[in-house]
Amino acid sequence: MKTHTEYLYFHTKKKREYLRITDKVEEIVRRSEVREGMVLVSAMHITAGVYVNDAESGLIDDIDRWLESLTPYGAYPQVQWPPPGQTGAVTATSAPYRHHETGEDNGDSHLKSLLVHHQVIVPITEGRLDLGTWQQVYYAEFDGQRRKRVVVKVMGA
Amino acid sequence: MKTHTEYLYFHTKKKREYLRITDKVEEIVRRSEVREGMVLVSAMHITAGVYVNDAESGLIDDIDRWLESLTPYGAYPQVQWPPPGQTGAVTATSAPYRHHETGEDNGDSHLKSLLVHHQVIVPITEGRLDLGTWQQVYYAEFDGQRRKRVVVKVMGA
Amino acid sequence: MKTHTEYLYFHTKKKREYLRITDKVEEIVRRSEVREGMVLVSAMHITAGVYVNDAESGLIDDIDRWLESLTPYGAYPQVQWPPPGQTGAVTATSAPYRHHETGEDNGDSHLKSLLVHHQVIVPITEGRLDLGTWQQVYYAEFDGQRRKRVVVKVMGA
């Protein structure tokens, strides 16, 4: 059994950015000389994610808007739904994240990381990433403008 | 170390369907002759998911309604929460997905795939899937009525 | 190739609790004597999750409030967004979970499990969990006050 470990580094210009890293992962797998196995791609920070989806700029905008809707920056929406069995308006109390009491302002980034998930496993078959036609590996930065790290661990034969 | 790779194919009648695939995964593990290790079950499409949960039809309906609420078909809800520290109505601008500018109409399916996640790893112990009593592996189709593929990769000894 | 399997047991006092289990996972990896590889930490129940994030009590409160907002206990919010291209109030029909027709009352716990995801993989490098400075492994209980189990499977060399 072989293992091979490398780290990718990112320092984004914007707070939130979505970077396609399929080629970097593929290169690491090539260097590992693993023909059959798996590669784990896992963010080493708690305000970032790694996911597999489409390299289409409109969709990336949709993903970003969607994440911001469900986990808004700055203040946390405590949703009040209508009572059971009734139809009615949805109201919310917009309270600050409790995490911000520590002096941080990135409560939303932690929730975005949980929502997207911080890691994927890509199978390796005949020395290549065994991905579908449209599948691309993305690093999702939710609290950038600083140095961040992703571990890429290859395991197989 | 052994590895063993097979592919499952699905062609659902409906746009969204939830298919229990535990037995198919178990059969592949049996054929692999791996006694101790892991099996990766990973959708090869970006509008599908793989998850582990209950084989209860009411719950599957709940999952489907819940996904549709958070990632609605057709138009994207840009949520406006009350200002920080205030209570009030939640309003939204229902804007089309930008992804649809490409001619696609499946923006919601991509978000559902991200939300549910597209893969699981099941541990293999003594030649069997090491799942809890109620854990079942599901393929979640979010843009069906076409041929789709799932990779099942077994690794172990 | 080595594999090593252990199970962790939890019986929480509250319905929902978030337990840091990094040290327990690290001990199991030490006992496995694996120097390079991966460890899978996976809930064996469908109303629990395993995730990696920060050990900060305010953030844990934020995570709990956020999960309860998106997957409320008791009754399910069927959200009605404004029509495509329009801005307006968000309304909802608060209908009971269909899963509750079975006599259960934990529909929300299943959805929380899907949202957080029920497993993580931690890379093992030089015999240690290869985690970032702030990364901690958490067991998230969403339907506690009963005995629950997590499988920890180490694989490597």
Side-chain angles (χ1 to χ4, degrees), chain A residues 51-75:
Chain A
Y51 69 84
V52 167
N53 217 287
D54 201 356
E56 198 278 299
S57 63
L59 181 71
I60 291 169
D61 274 12
D62 293 331
I63 291 170
D64 188 66
R65 286 199 299 172
W66 173 65
L67 290 172
E68 186 58 15
S69 265
L70 296 188
T71 60
Y73 174 73

Side-chain angles (χ1 to χ4, degrees), chain C:
Chain C
M1 203 203 72
K2 280 179 204 159
T3 61
H4 177 85
T5 312
E6 293 194 29
Y7 302 88
L8 299 173
Y9 294 87
F10 303 99
H11 191 131
T12 63
K13 284 184 184 163
K14 290 191 284 179
K15 186 175 168 70
R16 295 208 302 273
E17 271 186 56
Y18 303 86
L19 306 172
R20 199 171 67 82
I21 58 170
T22 321
D23 297 348
K24 291 180 195 289
V25 176
E26 184 104 49
E27 279 169 41
I28 293 171
V29 168
R30 194 173 38 73
R31 281 196 286 273
S32 78
E33 296 181 1
V34 165
R35 301 286 302 165
E36 292 291 327
M38 299 179 189
V39 53
L40 172 69
V41 185
S42 192
M44 298 185 78
H45 297 263
I46 51 192
T47 53
V50 174
Y51 69 85
V52 167
N53 216 288
D54 200 356
E56 197 278 298
S57 63
L59 181 70
I60 291 170
D61 274 11
D62 292 332
I63 291 170
D64 188 67
R65 286 199 299 173
W66 173 65
L67 290 172
E68 186 58 16
S69 265
L70 296 188
T71 59
Y73 173 74
Y76 173 90
Q78 176 79 47
V79 179
Q80 286 128 22
W81 303 99
Q86 294 187 27
T87 300
V90 176
T91 56
T93 306
S94 185
Y97 291 102
R98 283 215 42 218
H99 183 50
H100 295 183
E101 296 168 17
T102 63
E104 295 280 357
D105 76 337
N106 60 3
D108 69 303
S109 315
H110 290 273
L111 300 183
K112 286 174 172 77
S113 168
L114 286 176
L115 185 47
V116 158
H117 212 53
H118 73 291
Q119 62 185 190
V120 298
I121 299 256
V122 184
I124 302 165
T125 304
E126 297 177 7
R128 303 292 305 273
L129 299 183
D130 200 348
L131 291 168
T133 313
W134 303 102
Q135 287 187 306
Q136 298 285 345
V137 185
Y138 269 84
Y139 172 69
E141 177 60 79
F142 300 127
D143 190 22
Q145 299 167 317
R146 62 181 92 176
R147 189 173 160 90
K148 295 284 199 80
R149 195 155 60 123
V150 168
V151 53
V152 181
K153 187 117 199 169
V154 190
M155 203 165 124

